[in-house]
């Protein structure tokens, strides 16, 4: 309805301003929805890390990551130093070493710094979970070792209780 107190031009400007405001709000809302979706995806990886962690250093890594990403604030008082956490280490078959990251810090460190070019990296497909590294020492590992490592990757993922987990 047109406002009878306003001229035709003023009514047109009023409706255009209303349209423009709604158009800008729609753009902002789309950006907020994307940010929210990204946060949900990221926090699912944190939840998987918490499920895989059991020691104070591991939990401290997760807390540091949450602080770094802005989800938590730093504490003002200083606490005693906590040693850095270590990934799980398994030995399978003929001395084949398997390394398992339990949080995003460990996953990044394993993948980017610890793993050699000829090592095998495993991770659940599209499911938050641990990075698993098979230390190959240049040799092709037996298929049973790869299957065991894949089972470890599935176990240390958000899909731990599923019957089939793509790795």
């Amino acid at each position: 309805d047109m406002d009878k107190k306003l001229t035709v031009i003023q009514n047109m400007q009023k409706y255009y301003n209303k349209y423009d405001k709604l158009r800008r709000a729609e753009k902002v809302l789309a950006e907020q929805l994307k940010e929210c979706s990204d946060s949900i995806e990221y926090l699912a990886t944190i939840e998987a890390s918490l499920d895989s962690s059991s020691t104070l250093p591991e939990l401290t890594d997760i807390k540091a990551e949450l602080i770094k990403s802005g989800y938590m604030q730093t504490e003002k008082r200083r606490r005693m130093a906590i040693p850095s956490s270590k990934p799980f280490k398994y030995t399978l078959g003929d001395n084949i070493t398997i390394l398992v990251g339990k949080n995003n810090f460990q996953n990044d460190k394993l993948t980017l710094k610890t793993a050699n070019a000829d090592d095998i990296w495993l991770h659940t497909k599209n499911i938050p979970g641990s990075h698993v590294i098979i230390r190959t020492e240049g040799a092709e590992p037996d298929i049973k070792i790869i299957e065991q490592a894949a089972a470890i990757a599935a176990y240390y993922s958000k899909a731990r209780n599923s019957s089939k987990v793509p790795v």
Side-chain angles (χ1 to χ4, degrees), residues 79-97:
R79 296 208 171 177
M80 64 181 197
I82 296 170
S84 63
S85 65
K86 304 282 186 230
F88 283 130
K89 184 176 181 179
Y90 295 94
T91 305
L92 303 177
D94 297 325
N95 272 345
I96 302 291
T97 300

Side-chain angles (χ1 to χ4, degrees), residues 36-104:
C36 204
S37 176
D38 290 348
S39 289
I40 289 169
E41 190 175 311
Y42 171 72
L43 290 171
T45 69
I46 295 297
E47 183 181 17
S49 296
L50 286 169
D51 289 342
S52 298
S53 298
S54 58
T55 67
L56 187 57
E58 293 163 2
L59 295 173
T60 302
D61 282 351
I62 295 169
K63 181 179 179 182
E65 181 180 348
L66 287 169
I67 290 169
K68 184 178 178 184
S69 59
Y71 286 94
M72 287 181 71
Q73 292 183 357
T74 56
E75 293 179 12
K76 291 197 173 28
R77 59 190 172 134
R78 284 288 206 177
R79 296 208 171 177
M80 64 181 197
I82 296 170
S84 63
S85 65
K86 304 282 186 230
F88 283 130
K89 184 176 181 179
Y90 295 94
T91 305
L92 303 177
D94 297 325
N95 272 345
I96 302 291
T97 300
I98 307 290
L99 300 172
V100 181
K102 293 171 281 184
N103 56 52
N104 290 337

Side-chain angles (χ1 to χ4, degrees), residues 6 108 147 162:
L6 301 176
D108 289 347
E147 288 171 351
S162 300

